[in-house]
Amino acid sequence: MDKELIIRSSSENVDFALLKDGKLIELQKDEDSNDFSVGDVFIAKIRKAVPGLNAAFVNVGYEKDAFLHYHDLGPKLPSLLKFTKRVSTGKLKDFSLKNFPFEKDIEKDGKITDALKSNQSLLVQIVKEPISTKGPRISSELSIAGRYIVLVPFSNRISISQKIEDREEKDRLKRLVKSITPSGFGVIVRTVAQGRKVAELDKDLQNLLSRWTAMCKKLHKAHHPSKVLGEMNKASSILRDIFNDTFTGITVDDEELYIQIKEYLQEIAPKKESIVKLYQSKVPIFEKYGIERQIKTSFGKTVSMAKGAYLVIEHTEALHVIDVNSGNRSNKANSQEDTALEVNLIAATEIARQLRLRDMGGIIVVDFIDMTTAENRQKLFNHLRDEMKDDRAKHKVLPPSKFGLIQITRQRVRPEMNIKTREENPNGTNGSEVEAPIGLVQKINHDLERLFKKDYKKLTLNTHPFIAAFLTKGFPSVRSKWFLEHKKWVKILPRDAYTYLEYHFFDKDGNQIK
């Protein structure tokens, strides 16, 4: 399995595309204008506490106040408030927490008005970026993420990732981390720490403690509200969270970013430094790796899959709905049930990819093709869960109902990736739009495969002159690739009278194929 990270840089933002065996599975943007990223820590002011919501609205400098629920305060809130006040006023210059006296924890189900007051200063962390009309969601239970561990100030707990299943390894990591963690701090051990030595864990811990100290130094002169601890640059944070030994390549088209990534890999995985490559071709990097084409064909309302099947993805205010369709696939299965299972398994793989790719969150309802046997429904459920194992967002998949519906909840911490795939209609007016030409070519490809399976000897394709030129020009042309793959030549005739997206196939007798 090849795993590649392709990074495209421009003056305004940086795009990160994660490929698995050449297929796009994750797409992220790092925009200069985004001042409220997940993980950023702000010194903020409490605007007002709302007893009815048991929450407070907090001014973090965004146009809408951030939302802080009582359950996101953390039990050590009184200690955090006392520490923030003493550091801000310059009375406390030791940031180690070793000699800092902790206050009594707040009640688990207490009231927001007992915990916070208007105009109070408080350190808060972004846990959900501003989405639509809502401000950021925040927490006052701070954590600073590293490569192998997450540092949690004002805590004494050592937690191990649930994805580490080996009991002996869990005990070993707990013992090691306990021996190096300073008083006043807790630690969450991440999955990638599995098999690591104490020196690697300690280096990560010292780096996080230095970031904590640097943040505390800013508090004395900081404006309220202002950011006091920012997430590391997007390239490093993505590598920190997803990089592992299965990566086969990292390609970047910007020299400065290339140097940054090499330096970061030298720290976290020196043996893998050689997989970082600087891209210097004149062909745009996303075009070279086929990412632009995949973006155009993956973000529309309709998503094509193998064997003619397709998904229809609809968005509402409350939830996302995905409909699975078998389309015009040729049926070689023994029964309708086998066909339904085959299409559903293909769809489950694509749905897991789409959720990551678009970063869809909230409630997702999937209408799979009905299956009568409980065994097949269980097989589908297991397959979907397995496909979603690599998804870093917290999620839960419920078993299918008798109607073939599967409900998924997926954590959403940033706005959904929404890419415009339709283009201005060259034949139309009043701002009408059409499907991107690259999407049309994919449709023609699917139709051709279906017709070749039906053993048509000679095929003629009539289409708009622009599309005809796209299919026949260049070396190798799209038509040449068809010939190499199917060993059959397709005659292409441009038709001036056709609209931009119109095309029809004809057989050897000149009859139109419906």
Side-chain angles (χ1 to χ4, degrees), residues 191-226:
T191 312
V192 285
Q194 205 163 350
R196 299 293 167 182
K197 294 175 182 175
V198 67
E200 294 173 282
L201 301 177
D202 189 49
K203 186 181 176 184
D204 203 24
L205 176 66
Q206 295 309 318
N207 180 38
L208 296 178
L209 287 169
S210 63
R211 290 184 71 198
W212 164 258
T213 304
M215 182 197 80
C216 293
K217 283 178 180 175
K218 289 181 184 176
L219 292 180
H220 182 41
K221 294 179 181 177
H223 296 289
H224 292 60
S226 67

Side-chain angles (χ1 to χ4, degrees), residues 204-389:
D204 203 24
L205 176 66
Q206 295 309 318
N207 180 38
L208 296 178
L209 287 169
S210 63
R211 290 184 71 198
W212 164 258
T213 304
M215 182 197 80
C216 293
K217 283 178 180 175
K218 289 181 184 176
L219 292 180
H220 182 41
K221 294 179 181 177
H223 296 289
H224 292 60
S226 67
K227 187 192 293 187
V228 289
L229 179 67
E231 260 286 21
M232 56 177 69
N233 69 65
K234 193 80 169 181
S236 299
S237 66
I238 284 180
L239 287 173
R240 179 194 69 198
D241 292 340
I242 68 173
F243 184 80
N244 57 38
D245 293 337
T246 64
F247 266 71
T248 54
I250 298 171
T251 309
V252 56
D253 65 355
D254 179 80
E255 193 163 1
E256 190 180 335
L257 206 50
Y258 165 75
I259 293 165
Q260 279 180 20
I261 291 168
K262 274 187 89 74
E263 286 174 351
Y264 185 65
L265 273 189
Q266 276 175 351
E267 283 183 34
I268 67 167
K271 290 178 183 175
K272 283 282 188 177
E273 187 198 337
S274 60
I275 70 171
V276 187
K277 300 283 188 293
L278 178 62
Y279 183 81
Q280 293 177 306
S281 169
K282 289 181 180 177
V283 179
I285 188 168
F286 271 21
E287 201 171 306
K288 171 74 174 173
Y289 286 89
I291 296 165
E292 211 66 72
R293 178 187 294 263
Q294 292 191 56
I295 289 171
K296 289 278 188 187
T297 56
S298 296
F299 278 89
K301 179 181 170 183
T302 304
V303 178
S304 298
M305 300 185 295
K307 301 185 179 178
Y310 63 95
L311 303 176
V312 177
I313 302 176
E314 297 272 11
H315 307 272
T316 71
E317 192 66 30
L319 47 80
H320 304 283
V321 181
I322 302 176
D323 186 36
V324 178
N325 293 275
S326 58
N328 52 29
R329 66 180 299 283
S330 60
N331 186 7
K332 288 185 179 177
N334 295 326
S335 66
Q336 190 176 339
E337 181 77 4
D338 290 344
T339 303
L341 176 63
E342 185 187 11
V343 172
N344 282 342
L345 292 177
I346 293 169
T349 302
E350 181 60 29
I351 286 163
R353 171 178 171 256
Q354 285 290 330
L355 296 186
R356 284 180 74 180
L357 196 53
R358 302 182 188 218
D359 208 1
M360 289 163 66
I363 300 169
I364 301 115
V365 178
V366 186
D367 183 10
F368 284 99
I369 299 168
D370 287 357
M371 295 186 293
T372 53
T373 67
E375 184 187 348
N376 285 343
R377 290 198 293 269
Q378 186 62 41
K379 198 178 285 186
L380 171 63
F381 175 59
N382 293 340
H383 180 71
L384 181 57
R385 276 198 313 184
D386 289 343
E387 288 293 319
M388 291 190 67
K389 268 182 183 172

